[in-house]
Amino acid sequence: MTETFQSHDHVFLGAGHAQAERRTWMVIGLCTVMMIAEIIGGLLFGSIALVADGLHMSTHASALLLTALAYNYARRHARDARFSFGTGKLGDLAGFGSAIILAMIALLIGYEAVLRFIAPVPIRFDEAILIALVGLIVNVASVLLLSGGGHDHGHGHDHSDHDHHHDAHEAAPHAAHRDNNLRSAIIHVLADAGVSLLVIVGLLLGRFFGWIWMDPVVGLCGAVVIAAWSYGLIRDTGAILLDMNPDQGMAERMRAVIEVDGDRLTDLHLWRLGPGHLGAILSVATAAPRGPTHYRQLLERFSALSHVTVEVQRG
């Protein structure tokens, strides 16, 4: 006997989806303006680190555009029947793509830094420092703007049953609620802010101590940091796209809830449908006259479960 229970329709978007989309478009505008200023300023004033910062900001702007378009598409097609489990994972797909772009940015900055080690050029420090400072301010403002809309982006469930609140909290960890589309946008802007800060440090050291070699050094440091963030984002979003179990601890707690009075959980598939939404397919072997509704009621304490299919095997 198999029965599917859905707590609502197949709209598995994060609670802050619309707000995150609006904020992303605003940050795209800021980044585009600063990107143009940094590239032109770096070419005029001779700072390869500043040019690199502007170049990778251009790719950040492209990645942010990918983020915004993913939000838009997921919202417009949230109820499209062609998507069996909704469009909640589209943000994870966009985050994976953004992570690949981040890795390419790291390679580009590293390549440019090595070239500048080989062939250093004169730098007009005062002008370059001024533009880098403006870039840092823009990046910090962008991070604050994006983060301000993301504090509640994953908490889309109403824990109305006080008795179940503790179990629901345990069964819905931060990773399950995380909006990886928004996370990728924040990481892109953070990476740009970090490189801007390193650029300023390198330019100041070059300006006051004559350490011209610091300009490519900070470029290499920025490349390493960006590569590390890229790896983390690829790892997390890739796991979601491959439908890996998002919380082994939750799976064990579900087993403990089901396996009472001689019942046995013979199969369990747990995966993420979208920010704050998990899906589960389980098979239960029982000798008792119980139907799927009984087991769905047992699993109601796990508020992150948004789509549950139960199969009952008699015997």
Side-chain angles (χ1 to χ4, degrees):
M1 180 185 300
T2 304
E3 187 174 335
T4 299
F5 167 71
Q6 298 166 223
S7 58
H8 50 70
D9 56 21
H10 286 164
V11 179
F12 300 128
L13 305 180
H17 187 95
Q19 187 180 41
E21 180 182 350
R22 290 193 300 270
R23 290 172 180 267
T24 301
W25 283 113
M26 295 172 65
V27 172
I28 288 173
L30 285 175
C31 287
T32 301
V33 172
M34 198 58 226
M35 168 196 73
I36 295 173
E38 284 193 320
I39 292 176
I40 294 176
L43 291 174
L44 289 177
F45 308 135
S47 170
I48 186 59
L50 193 56
V51 172
D53 191 29
L55 285 174
H56 88 257
M57 181 175 276
S58 70
T59 56
H60 286 323
S62 300
L64 288 169
L65 179 61
L66 175 62
T67 298
L69 292 176
Y71 277 130
N72 181 270
Y73 187 91
R75 173 175 50 79
R76 289 190 296 109
H77 295 273
R79 291 178 171 82
D80 191 328
R82 293 176 299 172
F83 297 95
S84 298
F85 290 102
T87 56
K89 289 169 67 174
L90 187 62
D92 299 300
L93 179 61
F96 185 85
S98 293
I100 299 298
I101 295 175
L102 272 173
M104 295 173 63
I105 290 169
L107 289 175
L108 176 62
I109 294 177
Y111 173 75
E112 293 291 339
V114 170
L115 287 183
R116 192 46 54 100
F117 268 122
I118 298 173
V121 298
I123 301 175
R124 294 168 62 180
F125 291 103
D126 293 339
E127 295 90 342
I129 290 171
L130 177 62
I131 293 181
L133 281 171
V134 175
L136 178 60
I137 293 171
V138 170
N139 285 316
V140 171
S142 298
V143 171
L144 293 175
L145 184 59
L146 287 172
S147 300
H151 66 279
D152 61 349
H153 60 267
H155 301 281
H157 296 284
D158 180 16
H159 306 303
S160 57
D161 188 342
H162 178 75
D163 293 336
H164 290 164
H165 181 80
H166 179 68
D167 287 335
H169 175 74
E170 286 188 345
H174 178 67
H177 290 285
R178 179 183 294 153
D179 183 344
N180 283 313
N181 199 26
L182 180 62
R183 177 189 174 199
S184 68
I186 292 175
I187 287 179
H188 273 280
V189 181
L190 274 176
D192 207 53
V195 171
S196 294
L197 183 60
L198 289 173
V199 166
I200 292 171
V201 172
L203 290 173
L204 287 173
L205 291 174
R207 169 70 173 79
F208 293 105
F209 298 98
W211 297 350
I212 306 298
W213 49 269
M214 281 300 299
D215 191 57
V217 165
V218 298
L220 284 175
C221 292
V224 171
V225 172
I226 294 171
W229 286 346
S230 171
Y231 171 76
L233 191 55
I234 289 174
R235 178 195 60 208
D236 294 344
T237 54
I240 293 171
L241 294 175
L242 291 173
D243 290 330
M244 291 181 64
N245 187 330
D247 185 3
Q248 189 60 43
M250 176 177 174
E252 293 304 319
R253 290 192 295 274
M254 291 173 63
R255 180 179 298 276
V257 168
I258 294 295
E259 292 187 334
V260 294
D261 299 329
D263 292 346
R264 185 164 56 92
L265 185 62
T266 60
D267 194 19
L268 172 62
H269 300 278
L270 184 66
W271 74 101
R272 195 175 107 140
L273 302 168
H277 300 279
L278 299 181
I281 299 175
L282 58 150
S283 297
V284 183
T286 180
R290 297 175 181 138
T293 301
H294 168 75
Y295 300 102
R296 292 201 311 267
Q297 290 173 347
L298 291 178
L299 295 173
E300 286 179 354
R301 68 189 67 189
F302 300 100
S303 65
L305 289 178
S306 300
H307 192 286
V308 179
T309 300
V310 181
E311 178 187 44
V312 177
Q313 304 167 345
R314 300 297 185 187

